[in-house]
Amino acid sequence: MDKQEILAKLEICISILETTDNLYVRKQLENIAEALVKEWNESDYYSQQIREVLRYDETMNNLNHLWIR
């Protein structure tokens, strides 16, 4: 399951809970969804920083063109 599918399923659960009186569960699901988005954004930002520092695309291109004799 990818990020979008996880968020979509959580949003479906939250919308179903909006029709009931179970405020606690709804708030917990909303907090989980927010925490996941925050974590994913931080993870994506960290990965992007690593790519930039290591010049990942250039390094991979150089390695692909490397000939070992």
Side-chain angles (χ1 to χ4, degrees), residues 34-52:
E34 290 171 8
L36 283 173
V37 169
K38 182 181 178 203
E39 176 64 31
W40 290 332
N41 288 339
E42 289 173 358
S43 176
D44 291 345
Y45 178 71
Y46 179 75
S47 296
Q48 182 60 33
Q49 285 182 321
I50 296 298
R51 282 181 162 282
E52 290 172 8

Side-chain angles (χ1 to χ4, degrees), residues 17-45:
L17 285 171
E18 286 177 353
T19 61
T20 67
D21 290 334
N22 198 336
L23 183 61
Y24 176 78
V25 174
R26 183 174 53 124
K27 285 294 184 187
Q28 290 300 314
L29 286 174
E30 289 172 350
N31 289 339
I32 291 168
E34 290 171 8
L36 283 173
V37 169
K38 182 181 178 203
E39 176 64 31
W40 290 332
N41 288 339
E42 289 173 358
S43 176
D44 291 345
Y45 178 71

Side-chain angles (χ1 to χ4, degrees), residues 49-66:
Q49 285 182 321
I50 296 298
R51 282 181 162 282
E52 290 172 8
V53 167
L54 297 178
R55 296 186 346 215
Y56 181 83
D57 295 331
E58 181 182 341
T59 301
M60 288 298 120
N61 187 38
N62 290 339
L63 288 172
N64 287 336
H65 290 92
L66 184 66

